[in-house]
Amino acid sequence: MEFRKRIEELLHTFLAEREDLFLVDLKFSAADDITVILDGDNGVTLQDCLDASRAIEFNVDREEHDFSLQVMSAGLSEPLSTPRQFRKNIGRELDLLMTDSSEITGELKEVGEDKIILTLKYRKPKEIGKGKTDVVEDREILYTDIKKALVTIKF
C-alpha cells in the first residue's frame, strides 16, 4: 500500500474510534515530514495528540519507510475551516476576510452546512440630522465567500 494512503487510513481509523475529535489538516512534505492538525468538540488534549501519534507510529515500519510525524491541536491562530470548527465557536467573535478582500467582524450566531450567520454591531450615520445610530443586524455568509476566518482573541 502506498505510504501516504496508509497514513491516511490509520488516522481515519483512529478518528473513527474518537468521535469527539476531527481532522483539520494533514500535510506531507517532499521529505515525508507529516503534520497532523486535530480539533475536537471539547478541545484537544496532549494525550489526544499522543494517542493519534501512536496510532500511526506503532503501525508503520520505520525500516520500510522513514518519516517524521507531528500531531498538534488547531491553535487560536489557525483559521477555521470546517462547519464543525465553526459550530464549536458559536457565541464567539470572528474576524472574516472575504474572497472580495473585505473584512467583517461579528459574533457567530448560527452555523449551517453551507453558511454561517454573524451578528454585526456597528454605527451608521442617522438618516436625518447629525450623529450616528447603533445598528445590530444578522448577516448570512456562505462558506464559499470566506477566504479566512479567525476567532478574535480578547484579553
Side-chain angles (χ1 to χ4, degrees):
M1 179 181 292
E2 184 187 331
F3 175 71
R4 292 179 184 204
K5 292 286 185 205
R6 177 77 177 134
I7 298 298
E8 289 173 6
E9 180 182 284
L10 290 168
L11 187 56
H12 289 298
T13 300
F14 168 77
L15 291 173
E17 295 170 3
R18 292 290 309 272
E19 293 182 6
D20 60 318
L21 299 176
F22 54 95
L23 182 65
V24 174
D25 200 6
L26 174 61
K27 299 174 188 171
F28 293 91
S29 76
D32 285 331
D33 296 326
I34 304 165
T35 303
V36 177
I37 302 176
L38 299 175
D39 204 345
D41 297 326
N42 302 310
V44 178
T45 66
L46 178 58
Q47 188 63 50
D48 295 334
C49 293
L50 288 171
D51 292 344
S53 177
R54 289 177 181 147
I56 295 170
E57 291 221 27
F58 290 173
N59 292 295
V60 177
D61 183 5
R62 284 200 180 264
E63 296 294 322
E64 190 177 303
H65 203 105
D66 190 34
F67 64 96
S68 73
L69 176 65
Q70 274 189 305
V71 179
M72 63 186 78
S73 65
L76 286 175
S77 61
E78 290 289 318
L80 304 178
S81 60
T82 68
R84 197 165 170 184
Q85 278 186 299
F86 279 93
R87 201 168 289 114
K88 77 176 244 182
N89 286 291
I90 289 175
R92 290 188 170 162
E93 189 171 289
L94 301 183
D95 290 324
L96 304 180
L97 175 61
M98 308 304 287
T99 54
D100 65 1
S101 297
S102 65
E103 296 180 14
I104 300 174
T105 298
E107 182 181 317
L108 183 58
K109 182 177 179 181
E110 288 181 38
V111 177
E113 288 307 310
D114 60 346
K115 66 183 175 192
I116 62 172
I117 297 177
L118 279 187
T119 299
L120 308 178
K121 296 177 183 176
Y122 57 94
R123 295 180 55 79
K124 72 174 191 176
K126 289 182 179 179
E127 292 181 23
I128 300 175
K130 294 182 179 181
K132 294 187 175 188
T133 183
D134 292 329
V135 177
V136 177
E137 72 174 85
D138 289 343
R139 184 178 300 173
E140 288 186 1
I141 301 170
L142 297 173
Y143 292 122
T144 55
D145 293 336
I146 300 172
K147 187 174 187 177
K148 185 176 185 180
L150 292 170
V151 176
T152 303
I153 301 170
K154 292 184 179 181
F155 295 97

